[in-house]
Amino acid sequence: MAQEVVATFAGPLDSFSINLTIGNGSSAQVQSVGLSGRTAKFPVTWDSMGTFAGPATLTSTVGVESEVVIANFSGFAPGEQVSFTGIDPDFTGAASAGVRVLDLAGARAYALFSDGTTAFGEFEATTAGTLRAVMTK
């Protein structure tokens, strides 16, 4: 079985509603998940990470108002899922333009695990009309 964390921006791809789910399919706790908007189809700045929900505790969010944001967690155990709803990314240098889900294609993600290992992935469109990044440990 693959040791992975899967991050998904819900569709449809032409939606301006930006929501992210992160599932921990590894055997270790996830300490942090980072998102880089620098490599997105059109680079984005994470203006707001919206509302957090899930069984883990969000201890901090670092990098809001920049192209790289890191969410730090406590208790993000294997088999659990967390979500951010109402994320507000802006195109870097053009804050008034609306970002769609598809515009986030190519953004990169990483997970830092409690055992000190890391995993990386890139958001790609799926046949289900979402963007998905698989970070394999």
Side-chain angles (χ1 to χ4, degrees):
M1 180 175 145
Q3 297 278 315
E4 59 191 25
V5 172
V6 178
T8 306
F9 285 110
L13 295 174
D14 62 353
S15 176
F16 290 98
S17 179
I18 310 294
N19 301 304
L20 176 68
T21 58
I22 305 166
N24 182 1
S26 78
S27 60
Q29 289 203 18
V30 173
Q31 287 186 315
S32 303
V33 171
L35 303 173
S36 174
R38 290 180 182 151
T39 58
K41 184 177 180 179
F42 303 102
V44 297
T45 297
W46 306 101
D47 189 41
S48 164
M49 286 303 290
T51 303
F52 174 79
T57 300
L58 178 65
T59 58
S60 67
T61 305
V62 180
V64 173
E65 297 290 338
S66 74
E67 290 179 327
V68 178
V69 67
I70 300 168
N72 296 301
F73 303 101
S74 173
F76 191 176
E80 293 183 339
Q81 181 174 294
V82 299
S83 65
F84 292 87
T85 56
I87 297 172
D88 181 18
D90 294 324
F91 291 114
T92 301
S96 62
V99 174
R100 299 169 302 156
V101 172
L102 183 60
D103 297 325
L104 298 171
R108 292 192 180 137
Y110 88 92
L112 172 64
F113 299 95
S114 59
D115 63 7
T117 60
T118 55
F120 298 87
E122 184 173 305
F123 285 95
E124 299 175 348
T126 68
T127 57
T130 65
L131 285 184
R132 185 172 185 246
V134 178
M135 296 159 271
T136 303
K137 186 170 161 44

